[in-house]
Amino acid sequence: MTSEQNSETPEPKKPAEPSGIDLARVALRAAKEQARARGAEAQQKKQARRGGGLRSGARADGRDPLPLGAAINRLITERGWETPAAVGGVMGRWPQIVGDDLAKHCVPQKYDEDERVLTVQCDSTAWATQLRLLAPQLVARLNQDLGQGTVRLIKVLGPGGPARRYGPLRAPGSTGPGDTYG
């Protein structure tokens, strides 16, 4: 090998560019916040003209308590957590989405928001193969439920083997008993 071949390093991974839907969500959120700020400013000016600062009144304002669900929805919207919250909801409704048979053997593990990849663990090689065959239809169903482009790929993991045990009857370097998954 030459020194040129050794000095090559892999290029750093570029962050995913926001798509049109994501840009639209950000713009809508910013417009809503600006409108809310303009409304609050006008309310404060109106109260200042009346000769008082912030007062409690008969009408609702930003200081009133919110129901828990409304407060959580507001927090999710303000922080931009719509997609992770929606994917979390899918993980909770997994049996209704994929069916009871598949849900008994395949469990969603995690969702990578940057790569838009859902990782699913199966309990046997046969179910992992079955899920790989159903992956395109499942991606389409998830995107229909969550919004187009939310899930780009389903990464299927096979069964995890038992812990390696070392002892007098073990061959050095053997992977041990396990499934044919590889």
Coordinates of all heavy atoms in Angstrom, one line a residue, residues 47-136:
Q47 N -54.6 47.2 27.1 CA -54.8 47.3 28.6 C -54.0 48.4 29.2 O -54.4 49.0 30.1 CB -54.3 46.0 29.2 CG -55.2 44.8 29.0 CD -54.7 43.5 29.7 OE1 -53.6 43.4 30.1 NE2 -55.6 42.5 29.8
A48 N -52.9 48.8 28.6 CA -52.1 50.0 29.0 C -52.9 51.2 28.8 O -52.9 52.2 29.6 CB -50.8 50.0 28.3
R49 N -53.7 51.3 27.7 CA -54.5 52.5 27.5 C -55.6 52.6 28.5 O -56.0 53.7 28.8 CB -55.1 52.4 26.1 CG -54.2 53.0 25.0 CD -54.9 53.0 23.7 NE -54.7 51.6 23.2 CZ -55.3 51.0 22.2 NH1 -56.2 51.7 21.6 NH2 -55.1 49.8 21.9
R50 N -56.1 51.5 29.0 CA -57.1 51.5 30.0 C -56.6 51.9 31.4 O -57.4 52.1 32.3 CB -57.8 50.1 30.1 CG -58.6 49.8 28.9 CD -59.3 48.5 29.2 NE -59.8 47.9 28.0 CZ -60.0 46.6 27.9 NH1 -59.7 45.7 28.8 NH2 -60.4 46.1 26.7
G51 N -55.3 52.0 31.5 CA -54.7 52.4 32.8 C -54.3 51.3 33.7 O -54.2 51.5 34.9
G52 N -54.1 50.2 33.1 CA -53.6 49.1 34.0 C -52.7 48.1 33.2 O -52.6 48.1 32.0
G53 N -52.0 47.4 34.0 CA -51.2 46.3 33.4 C -52.0 45.1 33.1 O -53.2 45.1 32.8
L54 N -51.3 44.0 33.3 CA -52.1 42.7 33.0 C -53.1 42.5 34.2 O -52.7 42.6 35.3 CB -51.1 41.5 33.0 CG -50.2 41.4 31.8 CD1 -49.2 40.3 31.9 CD2 -51.0 41.2 30.5
R55 N -54.3 42.2 33.8 CA -55.3 42.0 34.8 C -56.0 40.7 34.4 O -56.1 40.4 33.3 CB -56.3 43.1 34.8 CG -55.8 44.4 35.3 CD -57.0 45.3 35.4 NE -56.6 46.6 35.0 CZ -57.4 47.5 34.6 NH1 -58.7 47.3 34.5 NH2 -57.0 48.7 34.2
S56 N -56.6 40.1 35.4 CA -57.4 38.9 35.1 C -58.8 39.4 34.8 O -59.3 40.5 35.3 CB -57.5 38.1 36.4 OG -58.3 37.0 36.1
G57 N -59.4 38.8 33.8 CA -60.7 39.2 33.4 C -61.6 38.0 33.1 O -61.3 36.9 33.3
A58 N -62.8 38.3 32.5 CA -63.7 37.3 32.2 C -63.3 36.5 30.9 O -63.8 35.4 30.7 CB -65.1 37.9 32.0
R59 N -62.5 37.1 30.1 CA -62.1 36.5 28.9 C -60.8 35.7 29.0 O -60.0 36.0 29.9 CB -61.9 37.5 27.8 CG -63.2 38.2 27.4 CD -63.0 39.1 26.2 NE -64.1 40.0 26.1 CZ -64.2 41.2 26.7 NH1 -63.2 41.7 27.4 NH2 -65.3 41.9 26.5
A60 N -60.7 34.6 28.2 CA -59.5 33.8 28.3 C -58.3 34.5 27.8 O -58.4 35.3 26.8 CB -59.7 32.5 27.5
D61 N -57.2 34.3 28.4 CA -55.9 34.9 27.9 C -54.8 33.8 28.1 O -55.1 32.7 28.5 CB -55.5 36.2 28.6 CG -55.3 36.0 30.1 OD1 -55.2 34.9 30.6 OD2 -55.1 37.1 30.8
G62 N -53.6 34.1 27.8 CA -52.5 33.2 27.8 C -52.1 32.7 29.1 O -51.3 31.7 29.2
R63 N -52.6 33.3 30.2 CA -52.2 32.9 31.5 C -53.2 31.9 32.1 O -52.9 31.3 33.2 CB -52.2 34.1 32.5 CG -51.2 35.1 32.0 CD -51.2 36.4 32.8 NE -52.5 37.0 32.6 CZ -53.2 37.7 33.6 NH1 -52.7 37.8 34.7 NH2 -54.4 38.2 33.3
D64 N -54.3 31.6 31.5 CA -55.2 30.6 32.0 C -54.7 29.2 31.9 O -53.9 28.9 31.1 CB -56.5 30.7 31.1 CG -57.3 31.9 31.4 OD1 -57.1 32.6 32.4 OD2 -58.2 32.3 30.5
P65 N -55.1 28.4 32.9 CA -54.6 27.0 32.9 C -55.2 26.2 31.7 O -56.3 26.5 31.2 CB -55.1 26.4 34.2 CG -56.1 27.4 34.7 CD -55.9 28.7 34.1
L66 N -54.4 25.3 31.2 CA -54.8 24.4 30.1 C -55.1 23.0 30.6 O -54.5 22.5 31.5 CB -53.7 24.4 29.1 CG -53.3 25.6 28.3 CD1 -52.1 25.4 27.5 CD2 -54.5 26.1 27.5
P67 N -56.0 22.3 29.9 CA -56.2 20.9 30.2 C -54.9 20.2 29.8 O -54.1 20.7 29.0 CB -57.3 20.5 29.2 CG -58.0 21.7 28.8 CD -57.0 22.8 28.9
L68 N -54.6 19.1 30.5 CA -53.3 18.4 30.3 C -53.1 18.0 28.8 O -52.0 18.2 28.3 CB -53.3 17.1 31.1 CG -52.0 16.3 31.1 CD1 -50.8 17.1 31.6 CD2 -52.1 15.0 31.9
G69 N -54.1 17.5 28.1 CA -53.9 17.1 26.7 C -53.5 18.3 25.9 O -52.7 18.2 25.0
A70 N -54.2 19.4 26.1 CA -53.9 20.6 25.3 C -52.5 21.1 25.6 O -51.8 21.6 24.7 CB -54.9 21.7 25.6
A71 N -52.1 21.1 26.9 CA -50.7 21.5 27.2 C -49.7 20.6 26.6 O -48.6 21.1 26.1 CB -50.6 21.5 28.8
I72 N -49.9 19.3 26.6 CA -48.9 18.4 25.9 C -48.9 18.6 24.4 O -47.8 18.7 23.8 CB -49.3 16.9 26.3 CG1 -49.0 16.7 27.7 CG2 -48.5 16.0 25.4 CD1 -49.5 15.3 28.2
N73 N -50.1 18.8 23.8 CA -50.1 19.1 22.3 C -49.3 20.4 22.0 O -48.6 20.5 21.0 CB -51.5 19.1 21.8 CG -52.1 17.8 21.8 OD1 -51.4 16.8 21.7 ND2 -53.5 17.7 21.8
R74 N -49.5 21.4 22.9 CA -48.9 22.7 22.7 C -47.3 22.5 22.8 O -46.6 23.0 22.0 CB -49.4 23.7 23.7 CG -48.8 25.0 23.6 CD -49.5 25.9 24.6 NE -48.8 27.2 24.8 CZ -49.1 28.1 25.7 NH1 -50.1 27.9 26.4 NH2 -48.4 29.2 25.8
L75 N -46.9 21.7 23.8 CA -45.5 21.5 24.0 C -44.9 20.7 22.8 O -43.8 21.1 22.3 CB -45.2 20.7 25.3 CG -43.8 20.3 25.6 CD1 -43.0 21.6 25.9 CD2 -43.7 19.3 26.7
I76 N -45.6 19.7 22.3 CA -45.1 19.0 21.1 C -45.0 19.9 19.9 O -44.0 19.8 19.2 CB -46.1 17.8 20.9 CG1 -45.9 16.7 21.9 CG2 -45.8 17.2 19.5 CD1 -46.9 15.6 21.9
T77 N -45.9 20.7 19.7 CA -45.9 21.6 18.5 C -44.8 22.7 18.7 O -44.0 22.9 17.7 CB -47.3 22.3 18.4 OG1 -48.3 21.4 18.3 CG2 -47.3 23.2 17.2
E78 N -44.6 23.2 19.9 CA -43.6 24.3 20.1 C -42.2 23.7 19.9 O -41.3 24.3 19.4 CB -43.7 24.9 21.5 CG -44.9 25.8 21.6 CD -45.1 26.3 23.0 OE1 -44.4 25.8 23.9 OE2 -46.0 27.1 23.2
R79 N -42.0 22.5 20.3 CA -40.7 21.8 20.3 C -40.4 21.1 19.0 O -39.3 20.7 18.7 CB -40.5 20.8 21.4 CG -40.7 21.4 22.8 CD -39.5 22.3 23.2 NE -39.8 23.0 24.4 CZ -39.1 22.8 25.5 NH1 -38.1 22.0 25.6 NH2 -39.4 23.5 26.6
G80 N -41.4 21.0 18.1 CA -41.2 20.3 16.8 C -41.1 18.8 17.0 O -40.3 18.2 16.2
W81 N -41.8 18.2 17.9 CA -41.7 16.8 18.1 C -42.9 16.1 17.5 O -43.2 14.9 17.9 CB -41.8 16.5 19.6 CG -40.6 17.0 20.4 CD1 -39.4 17.4 20.0 CD2 -40.6 17.3 21.8 NE1 -38.6 17.8 21.0 CE2 -39.3 17.8 22.2 CE3 -41.5 17.2 22.8 CZ2 -39.0 18.1 23.4 CZ3 -41.2 17.5 24.1 CH2 -39.9 18.0 24.4
E82 N -43.5 16.6 16.4 CA -44.6 15.9 15.8 C -44.3 14.6 15.3 O -45.0 13.6 15.6 CB -45.2 16.8 14.7 CG -45.9 18.1 15.1 CD -45.0 19.3 15.1 OE1 -43.8 19.1 14.8 OE2 -45.5 20.4 15.3
T83 N -43.2 14.5 14.5 CA -42.9 13.2 13.9 C -42.5 12.1 15.0 O -43.0 11.0 14.9 CB -41.7 13.4 12.9 OG1 -42.1 14.3 11.9 CG2 -41.4 12.0 12.2
P84 N -41.6 12.4 15.9 CA -41.3 11.4 16.9 C -42.5 11.0 17.7 O -42.7 9.8 18.1 CB -40.3 12.1 17.8 CG -39.6 13.1 17.0 CD -40.7 13.6 16.1
A85 N -43.4 11.9 18.0 CA -44.6 11.6 18.8 C -45.5 10.7 17.9 O -46.1 9.7 18.5 CB -45.3 12.8 19.2
A86 N -45.6 11.0 16.7 CA -46.5 10.1 15.8 C -45.9 8.7 15.6 O -46.6 7.8 15.7 CB -46.6 10.8 14.4
V87 N -44.6 8.6 15.5 CA -43.9 7.3 15.4 C -44.1 6.5 16.7 O -44.3 5.3 16.7 CB -42.5 7.4 15.0 CG1 -41.7 6.1 15.1 CG2 -42.4 8.0 13.6
G88 N -44.0 7.2 17.8 CA -44.2 6.6 19.1 C -45.6 6.0 19.2 O -45.9 5.0 19.8
G89 N -46.6 6.8 18.7 CA -48.0 6.3 18.6 C -48.1 5.0 17.8 O -48.9 4.1 18.1
V90 N -47.4 5.0 16.7 CA -47.4 3.8 15.8 C -46.8 2.6 16.6 O -47.4 1.5 16.5 CB -46.6 4.0 14.5 CG1 -46.3 2.7 13.8 CG2 -47.4 5.0 13.6
M91 N -45.8 2.8 17.4 CA -45.2 1.7 18.1 C -46.2 1.2 19.2 O -46.3 0.0 19.5 CB -43.9 2.1 18.8 CG -42.8 2.3 17.8 SD -41.3 2.6 18.6 CE -40.2 2.7 17.2
G92 N -47.0 2.1 19.7 CA -48.1 1.7 20.6 C -49.2 0.9 20.0 O -49.9 0.1 20.6
R93 N -49.5 1.3 18.7 CA -50.6 0.6 17.9 C -50.1 -0.4 17.0 O -50.7 -0.8 16.0 CB -51.3 1.7 17.1 CG -52.0 2.7 18.0 CD -52.8 3.7 17.1 NE -51.9 4.6 16.4 CZ -51.8 4.7 15.1 NH1 -52.7 4.1 14.3 NH2 -50.9 5.5 14.5
W94 N -48.9 -0.9 17.2 CA -48.2 -1.9 16.3 C -49.1 -3.1 16.0 O -49.3 -3.4 14.8 CB -46.9 -2.4 16.9 CG -46.1 -3.3 16.1 CD1 -45.9 -4.6 16.3 CD2 -45.4 -2.9 14.9 NE1 -45.0 -5.1 15.3 CE2 -44.7 -4.1 14.4 CE3 -45.2 -1.7 14.2 CZ2 -43.9 -4.1 13.3 CZ3 -44.4 -1.8 13.0 CH2 -43.8 -2.9 12.6
P95 N -49.8 -3.7 16.9 CA -50.7 -4.9 16.6 C -51.8 -4.5 15.6 O -52.2 -5.3 14.7 CB -51.2 -5.4 17.9 CG -50.2 -4.9 18.9 CD -49.7 -3.6 18.4
Q96 N -52.4 -3.3 15.8 CA -53.5 -2.9 14.9 C -53.0 -2.6 13.5 O -53.7 -2.8 12.5 CB -54.2 -1.7 15.4 CG -55.0 -1.9 16.6 CD -54.2 -1.8 17.9 OE1 -53.1 -1.2 17.9 NE2 -54.7 -2.3 19.0
I97 N -51.7 -2.2 13.4 CA -51.2 -1.8 12.1 C -50.7 -3.0 11.3 O -51.0 -3.2 10.1 CB -50.0 -0.8 12.2 CG1 -50.5 0.5 12.8 CG2 -49.3 -0.6 10.9 CD1 -49.5 1.5 13.2
V98 N -50.0 -4.0 11.9 CA -49.4 -5.1 11.2 C -50.2 -6.4 11.4 O -50.0 -7.3 10.7 CB -48.0 -5.3 11.6 CG1 -47.1 -4.2 11.3 CG2 -47.8 -5.7 13.1
G99 N -51.1 -6.4 12.3 CA -51.9 -7.6 12.6 C -51.3 -8.4 13.8 O -50.2 -8.2 14.1
D100 N -52.2 -9.2 14.4 CA -51.8 -9.8 15.6 C -50.7 -10.9 15.4 O -49.8 -11.0 16.3 CB -53.0 -10.5 16.3 CG -54.0 -9.5 16.9 OD1 -53.5 -8.4 17.2 OD2 -55.2 -9.7 16.9
D101 N -50.8 -11.7 14.3 CA -49.8 -12.7 14.1 C -48.4 -12.1 14.0 O -47.4 -12.6 14.6 CB -50.1 -13.5 12.9 CG -51.3 -14.4 13.1 OD1 -51.6 -14.7 14.2 OD2 -51.9 -14.8 12.0
L102 N -48.2 -11.1 13.1 CA -46.9 -10.5 12.9 C -46.5 -9.8 14.2 O -45.3 -9.8 14.5 CB -47.0 -9.5 11.7 CG -45.7 -9.1 11.1 CD1 -44.9 -10.3 10.6 CD2 -45.9 -8.1 10.0
A103 N -47.4 -9.1 14.9 CA -47.0 -8.4 16.1 C -46.5 -9.3 17.2 O -45.7 -8.9 18.0 CB -48.2 -7.6 16.6
K104 N -47.0 -10.5 17.3 CA -46.5 -11.5 18.3 C -45.0 -11.8 18.1 O -44.3 -12.2 19.0 CB -47.3 -12.8 18.2 CG -48.7 -12.6 18.8 CD -49.5 -13.9 18.6 CE -51.0 -13.7 19.0 NZ -51.7 -14.9 18.7
H105 N -44.6 -11.8 16.8 CA -43.2 -12.2 16.5 C -42.2 -11.1 16.1 O -41.0 -11.3 16.1 CB -43.3 -13.3 15.4 CG -44.1 -14.5 15.8 ND1 -43.6 -15.5 16.6 CD2 -45.4 -14.8 15.5 CE1 -44.6 -16.4 16.8 NE2 -45.6 -16.0 16.1
C106 N -42.7 -9.9 15.8 CA -41.9 -8.8 15.3 C -42.3 -7.6 16.2 O -43.4 -7.2 16.2 CB -42.1 -8.6 13.9 SG -41.8 -10.0 12.8
V107 N -41.3 -7.0 16.8 CA -41.5 -5.8 17.7 C -40.6 -4.7 17.2 O -39.4 -4.8 17.0 CB -41.1 -6.2 19.1 CG1 -41.3 -5.1 20.1 CG2 -41.9 -7.4 19.6
P108 N -41.3 -3.5 17.1 CA -40.4 -2.3 16.7 C -39.5 -1.9 17.8 O -39.9 -1.9 19.0 CB -41.5 -1.2 16.4 CG -42.7 -1.6 17.2 CD -42.7 -3.1 17.2
Q109 N -38.2 -1.6 17.5 CA -37.2 -1.3 18.5 C -37.0 0.2 18.6 O -37.0 0.7 19.7 CB -35.9 -2.0 18.2 CG -36.0 -3.5 18.3 CD -36.3 -4.0 19.7 OE1 -35.7 -3.5 20.6 NE2 -37.2 -5.0 19.8
K110 N -36.7 0.8 17.5 CA -36.4 2.3 17.5 C -36.7 2.9 16.1 O -36.8 2.2 15.1 CB -34.9 2.5 17.9 CG -33.9 1.9 16.9 CD -32.5 2.2 17.4 CE -31.5 1.7 16.4 NZ -30.2 2.0 16.7
Y111 N -36.7 4.2 16.1 CA -36.9 5.0 14.9 C -35.8 6.0 14.8 O -35.6 6.8 15.7 CB -38.3 5.6 14.9 CG -38.5 6.5 13.7 CD1 -38.7 6.0 12.4 CD2 -38.5 7.9 13.8 CE1 -38.9 6.8 11.3 CE2 -38.8 8.8 12.8 CZ -38.9 8.2 11.5 OH -39.1 9.0 10.4
D112 N -35.1 6.0 13.7 CA -34.0 7.0 13.5 C -34.6 8.1 12.6 O -34.9 7.9 11.4 CB -32.8 6.3 12.7 CG -31.7 7.3 12.6 OD1 -31.8 8.5 13.0 OD2 -30.7 6.9 12.0
E113 N -34.8 9.3 13.2 CA -35.5 10.4 12.6 C -34.7 10.9 11.4 O -35.2 11.3 10.4 CB -35.9 11.5 13.6 CG -36.8 12.5 13.0 CD -37.2 13.5 14.1 OE1 -36.8 13.4 15.2 OE2 -37.9 14.5 13.7
D114 N -33.4 11.0 11.6 CA -32.5 11.5 10.5 C -32.5 10.7 9.3 O -32.6 11.2 8.2 CB -31.1 11.7 11.0 CG -31.0 12.7 12.2 OD1 -31.8 13.6 12.2 OD2 -30.1 12.5 13.0
E115 N -32.4 9.4 9.5 CA -32.4 8.4 8.4 C -33.8 8.0 7.9 O -33.9 7.4 6.9 CB -31.5 7.2 8.7 CG -30.1 7.5 9.0 CD -29.3 8.0 7.8 OE1 -29.6 7.4 6.7 OE2 -28.5 8.9 7.9
R116 N -34.8 8.2 8.8 CA -36.1 7.8 8.6 C -36.2 6.3 8.4 O -36.9 5.8 7.5 CB -36.8 8.5 7.4 CG -36.8 10.0 7.6 CD -37.4 10.8 6.4 NE -37.2 12.2 6.6 CZ -38.1 13.0 7.1 NH1 -39.2 12.5 7.5 NH2 -37.9 14.3 7.2
V117 N -35.6 5.6 9.4 CA -35.5 4.1 9.3 C -36.1 3.6 10.6 O -35.8 4.0 11.7 CB -34.0 3.6 9.2 CG1 -34.0 2.1 9.3 CG2 -33.4 4.1 7.9
L118 N -37.1 2.7 10.5 CA -37.7 2.0 11.6 C -37.0 0.6 11.7 O -37.0 -0.2 10.8 CB -39.2 1.8 11.3 CG -40.0 1.1 12.4 CD1 -40.0 1.8 13.7 CD2 -41.4 0.8 11.9
T119 N -36.5 0.3 12.9 CA -35.8 -0.9 13.2 C -36.8 -1.9 13.9 O -37.4 -1.5 14.9 CB -34.6 -0.7 14.0 OG1 -33.7 0.2 13.4 CG2 -33.8 -2.0 14.3
V120 N -36.9 -3.1 13.4 CA -37.9 -4.1 13.9 C -37.1 -5.3 14.3 O -36.3 -5.8 13.4 CB -39.0 -4.4 12.9 CG1 -40.0 -5.4 13.5 CG2 -39.8 -3.1 12.6
Q121 N -37.3 -5.9 15.5 CA -36.6 -7.1 15.9 C -37.6 -8.3 15.8 O -38.8 -8.2 16.3 CB -36.2 -7.0 17.3 CG -35.6 -8.3 18.0 CD -34.1 -8.3 17.8 OE1 -33.5 -7.3 17.9 NE2 -33.6 -9.5 17.5
C122 N -37.2 -9.4 15.1 CA -38.1 -10.6 15.0 C -37.5 -11.7 15.9 O -36.3 -11.8 16.1 CB -38.1 -11.0 13.6 SG -38.9 -9.8 12.5
D123 N -38.4 -12.6 16.3 CA -38.0 -13.7 17.2 C -37.5 -14.9 16.5 O -37.0 -15.8 17.1 CB -39.0 -14.0 18.2 CG -40.3 -14.5 17.6 OD1 -40.4 -14.7 16.4 OD2 -41.3 -14.8 18.4
S124 N -37.6 -15.0 15.2 CA -37.0 -16.1 14.4 C -36.6 -15.7 13.0 O -37.1 -14.6 12.5 CB -38.0 -17.3 14.4 OG -39.1 -16.9 13.5
T125 N -35.8 -16.5 12.4 CA -35.4 -16.2 11.0 C -36.6 -16.2 10.1 O -36.7 -15.4 9.1 CB -34.4 -17.2 10.6 OG1 -33.3 -17.2 11.5 CG2 -33.8 -16.9 9.2
A126 N -37.5 -17.1 10.3 CA -38.7 -17.2 9.4 C -39.5 -15.9 9.4 O -39.9 -15.4 8.4 CB -39.5 -18.4 9.8
W127 N -39.7 -15.4 10.6 CA -40.5 -14.2 10.7 C -39.7 -13.0 10.2 O -40.3 -12.0 9.6 CB -41.0 -13.9 12.2 CG -42.1 -14.8 12.5 CD1 -42.1 -15.9 13.3 CD2 -43.5 -14.7 12.1 NE1 -43.4 -16.5 13.4 CE2 -44.2 -15.7 12.6 CE3 -44.1 -13.7 11.3 CZ2 -45.6 -15.9 12.4 CZ3 -45.5 -13.9 11.0 CH2 -46.2 -14.9 11.6
A128 N -38.4 -13.0 10.3 CA -37.6 -11.9 9.8 C -37.7 -11.9 8.3 O -37.9 -10.9 7.6 CB -36.2 -12.0 10.2
T129 N -37.7 -13.1 7.7 CA -37.8 -13.2 6.2 C -39.2 -12.7 5.8 O -39.4 -12.0 4.8 CB -37.6 -14.7 5.8 OG1 -36.3 -15.1 6.2 CG2 -37.7 -14.8 4.3
Q130 N -40.2 -13.2 6.5 CA -41.6 -12.8 6.2 C -41.7 -11.2 6.3 O -42.4 -10.6 5.4 CB -42.6 -13.4 7.2 CG -44.0 -13.1 6.9 CD -44.5 -13.8 5.7 OE1 -43.9 -14.8 5.2 NE2 -45.6 -13.3 5.1
L131 N -41.2 -10.6 7.3 CA -41.2 -9.2 7.4 C -40.5 -8.5 6.3 O -40.9 -7.4 5.8 CB -40.7 -8.7 8.8 CG -40.9 -7.2 9.1 CD1 -42.4 -6.9 9.1 CD2 -40.3 -6.9 10.4
R132 N -39.4 -9.0 5.9 CA -38.6 -8.4 4.7 C -39.5 -8.4 3.5 O -39.4 -7.5 2.7 CB -37.3 -9.2 4.5 CG -36.2 -8.7 5.4 CD -34.9 -9.2 4.9 NE -34.0 -9.2 6.0 CZ -33.7 -10.2 6.8 NH1 -34.3 -11.3 6.7 NH2 -32.9 -10.0 7.8
L133 N -40.3 -9.5 3.3 CA -41.1 -9.6 2.1 C -42.3 -8.6 2.2 O -42.7 -8.1 1.2 CB -41.7 -11.0 1.9 CG -40.6 -12.1 1.6 CD1 -41.2 -13.5 1.6 CD2 -40.0 -11.8 0.2
L134 N -42.8 -8.3 3.4 CA -43.9 -7.4 3.6 C -43.5 -6.0 3.8 O -44.3 -5.1 3.9 CB -44.7 -7.8 4.9 CG -45.4 -9.2 4.8 CD1 -46.0 -9.5 6.1 CD2 -46.5 -9.1 3.7
A135 N -42.1 -5.7 3.9 CA -41.7 -4.4 4.2 C -42.2 -3.3 3.3 O -42.6 -2.2 3.7 CB -40.1 -4.4 4.2
P136 N -42.2 -3.4 1.9 CA -42.7 -2.4 1.1 C -44.1 -2.0 1.4 O -44.5 -0.8 1.4 CB -42.5 -2.9 -0.3 CG -41.5 -3.9 -0.2 CD -41.6 -4.5 1.1

